[in-house]
Amino acid sequence: MRATCSRNRLSELLRCRGQGQWQFQCPYQLSPARGMTRGRSVKERSKKKRVHALEVGIERWKVLSKVLTVVEALKKEEEHVTPLKRLEILRPQLGLVKPHKVAHFVRRSPHLFEVCRDSRGVMWAGLSPQAEALVEEESRLLEEHSPTAAQYVTRMLMMSVDRRLPIDKIAHFRRDMGLPHDFRTRWVHMFPEQFRVVRLEDGEYLQLVSWNPNWTVTELEKKAAASAGDANASPPGELSLPFPMKFPPNFTSYYRFRGKAHHYVKTGNTEQFQKITYLSPYAEAKGLTPGTPEFDKRAVAVMHEILSFMLEKRLVTDHLTHFRREFVMPQKLMRLLLKHYGIFYVSERGKRLSVFLTEAYDGTELIEKCSLVRWREKLLQLTGYRGRMKNIGKFDAFSDSEDYLLGGDDDAVLDIESENSDDILDGCSISDDSEMDLGDTDELCRD
């Protein structure tokens, strides 16, 4: 098709030349309606901006996220034990492709998961005593964190344009905000003085009940007030606070490509952007005009505030883009995140991009860690993937594959459902009476 169009165009140009109408045209002038453009993906735009320390953090989070998926699936089972074949339903969530199996994944962490064969030859997986202790500790920590999580959810409702948010969308933040596992069923009804569940035609929403003026102070304002010694709350309005910016040690403001200088951060534009006054995320924003500097500056403030609510000050970018309408943010949100490099850092590792609040990190570590973050670190220490977690920083550009988690071809991956797996079971057995009703498997897929 493309070759045919080229020949037709060439014939037309030759015809014009024969009629005396020939004049030289640059390639981008051949189509007067639209010039040729060269699109660049996010990876191509940001590959020269990579911060190695934060990329290491993404690798750790990927391992932890997959382990938590298996742990939460086992927690929903009676006595926290289930047949291994039933866990195969988690394969898409773990990102495993054949020939890798969930059984391989589970066997890599013997300190977290135990595998046994019953008298009928059925393979079972369950939580180890150490994992059981961690599960109990997590339940206690989530209960203690509930008031703080409720405050953050309420403040998100206060930032939204309609003072309500779909529960399905808030559920995306469950792990990142430290919301409990019964978030949809019980937790949303535990704070009736702050929010309530309302049912509309398109689903269930969480509706703001009361406006708390003390919660309209942004996290950025709190830090500025703490350094200045002034903590007086004021009604939400225009702000002029600059956003903290942090760059890696090897950062340069520009780089050269094919002889041309391409800027990471234009110093003059950055200084001008920092001086622009903007509406508080908690102020009414319906009157703002999209595309204006004030609109973009407020969108940066909203994203900064939301990331400040997260346990690890990090989010999958999809979770932010889902709230463009509710928080009055631009349609091309990713472009804004990439533009303000220094305030945010976007990692393109894996199939889903992640955004960091750069000021919250010192190298690979969070500067301020809550109890739930420390709990996750303890869980991560019990994982055994590749057996070299201390070298997790030594990854290549394509370490998002299952080989990174499962040890690759160099490791002798053992199919524990084969006849040769008896040597790792150590005589462990489960009686016939302990067989569980497999029932419906949809519960395992539920977040």
Side-chain angles (χ1 to χ4, degrees):
M1 178 67 72
R2 184 176 300 176
T4 303
C5 294
S6 300
R7 286 195 297 270
N8 294 340
R9 185 62 179 166
L10 180 60
S11 300
E12 182 181 348
L13 290 175
L14 292 175
R15 225 176 14 256
C16 293
R17 181 181 181 183
Q19 296 174 2
Q21 300 175 1
W22 173 264
Q23 62 180 0
F24 177 76
Q25 290 180 313
C26 295
Y28 62 83
Q29 295 175 325
L30 294 179
S31 177
R34 181 179 179 180
M36 295 177 63
T37 59
R38 293 182 179 180
R40 290 185 297 171
S41 67
V42 173
K43 293 184 179 182
E44 292 173 338
R45 286 198 301 266
S46 60
K47 67 180 180 180
K48 287 187 176 292
K49 302 180 183 180
R50 290 176 184 165
V51 179
H52 179 77
L54 296 182
E55 297 291 347
V56 172
I58 283 292
E59 291 293 333
R60 291 174 177 169
W61 172 78
K62 280 160 38 182
V63 174
L64 180 64
S65 177
K66 297 174 189 297
V67 171
L68 284 175
T69 299
V70 179
V71 171
E72 291 181 4
L74 289 173
K75 283 169 56 179
K76 296 174 183 178
E77 299 295 333
E78 185 180 353
E79 299 182 2
H80 299 169
V81 178
T82 188
L84 264 176
K85 287 186 177 180
R86 186 173 182 180
L87 288 180
E88 287 299 321
I89 196 174
L90 298 176
R91 183 194 293 271
Q93 292 175 260
L94 298 179
L96 301 179
V97 296
K98 293 181 178 181
H100 300 294
K101 298 182 179 181
V102 178
H104 302 157
F105 184 88
V106 168
R107 194 184 64 83
R108 290 282 169 177
S109 291
H111 296 295
L112 287 176
F113 310 113
E114 292 183 345
V115 178
C116 299
R117 184 194 298 275
D118 65 12
S119 59
R120 293 174 298 179
V122 178
M123 301 297 301
W124 294 71
L127 296 177
S128 68
Q130 291 174 288
E132 292 281 4
L134 284 175
V135 166
E136 294 179 3
E137 181 182 357
E138 183 197 23
S139 299
R140 177 179 57 82
L141 294 177
L142 287 174
E143 191 70 24
E144 295 174 356
H145 184 70
S146 281
T148 302
Q151 178 190 148
Y152 290 157
V153 171
T154 305
R155 291 170 70 178
M156 288 176 63
L157 296 174
M158 293 167 63
M159 284 192 291
S160 64
V161 65
D162 297 323
R163 308 297 184 243
R164 66 171 180 258
L165 294 172
I167 291 180
D168 287 339
K169 290 187 178 182
I170 300 177
H172 293 313
F173 293 154
R174 184 179 67 80
R175 284 184 183 175
D176 299 298
M177 295 186 69
L179 299 177
H181 304 289
D182 58 356
F183 159 73
R184 296 173 182 268
T185 57
R186 185 181 69 93
W187 190 86
V188 290
H189 303 286
M190 288 177 55
F191 304 90
E193 70 283 358
Q194 296 176 211
F195 44 72
R196 61 188 176 92
V197 178
V198 294
R199 290 175 174 81
L200 302 180
E201 294 180 357
D202 54 346
E204 291 186 336
Y205 285 75
L206 210 57
Q207 177 81 46
L208 180 69
V209 170
S210 60
W211 181 277
N212 190 335
N214 295 326
W215 289 351
T216 60
V217 182
T218 65
E219 297 299 309
L220 195 60
E221 289 179 279
K222 289 180 182 179
K223 291 182 179 180
S227 60
D230 182 15
N232 295 328
S234 58
E238 287 191 347
L239 301 174
S240 57
L241 293 173
F243 294 98
M245 303 185 71
K246 181 180 289 187
F247 301 99
N250 60 345
F251 173 79
T252 55
S253 60
Y254 68 92
Y255 70 97
R256 291 190 174 275
F257 180 69
R258 293 182 179 176
K260 297 182 179 179
H262 298 261
H263 290 271
Y264 284 144
V265 177
K266 295 182 180 179
T267 306
N269 292 356
T270 301
E271 293 177 354
Q272 183 179 2
F273 176 82
Q274 293 280 37
K275 294 178 181 179
I276 296 174
T277 59
Y278 59 97
L279 275 180
S280 168
Y282 301 98
E284 181 62 52
K286 290 183 177 179
L288 289 178
T289 303
T292 61
E294 293 78 14
F295 183 89
D296 290 345
K297 186 92 179 263
R298 180 193 172 274
V300 170
V302 170
M303 291 184 287
H304 186 283
E305 187 76 348
I306 293 176
L307 286 171
S308 299
F309 295 161
M310 303 300 122
L311 298 178
E312 300 181 22
K313 317 305 179 189
R314 175 201 49 77
L315 263 181
V316 175
T317 55
D318 293 349
H319 297 170
L320 276 175
T321 57
H322 290 164
F323 288 93
R324 284 191 295 255
R325 188 193 66 82
E326 287 84 355
F327 292 139
V328 193
M329 292 192 292
Q331 186 72 17
K332 296 182 178 180
L333 194 58
M334 180 57 64
R335 178 180 295 179
L336 197 63
L337 290 171
L338 291 171
K339 181 179 179 180
H340 295 288
Y341 180 70
I343 303 175
F344 310 110
Y345 173 69
V346 178
S347 170
E348 72 275 10
R349 303 196 66 78
K351 297 179 181 179
R352 306 179 75 182
L353 309 185
S354 298
V355 56
F356 288 82
L357 192 60
T358 56
E359 67 187 76
Y361 280 82
D362 183 12
T364 61
E365 302 295 328
L366 270 171
I367 297 176
E368 298 179 3
K369 298 180 182 180
C370 68
S371 57
L372 283 170
V373 172
R374 295 191 182 94
W375 177 88
R376 293 179 178 183
E377 291 178 345
K378 289 195 291 185
L379 183 69
L380 189 61
Q381 290 174 358
L382 294 179
T383 58
Y385 299 101
R386 272 195 167 177
R388 299 190 300 273
M389 291 302 293
K390 63 181 179 181
N391 293 330
I392 195 169
K394 298 180 180 179
F395 54 84
D396 56 26
F398 302 99
S399 64
D400 192 42
S401 67
E402 63 279 356
D403 289 338
Y404 181 81
L405 297 174
L406 296 173
D409 296 334
D410 296 335
D411 296 328
V413 177
L414 177 65
D415 186 352
I416 60 177
E417 296 182 23
S418 67
E419 296 179 357
N420 298 329
S421 62
D422 294 335
D423 57 337
I424 67 169
L425 299 179
D426 295 331
C428 180
S429 63
I430 300 178
S431 64
D432 295 344
D433 295 337
S434 63
E435 183 180 7
M436 294 161 30
D437 181 14
L438 299 184
D440 188 30
T441 58
D442 292 341
E443 185 68 18
L444 281 174
C445 292
R446 194 174 304 163
D447 183 39

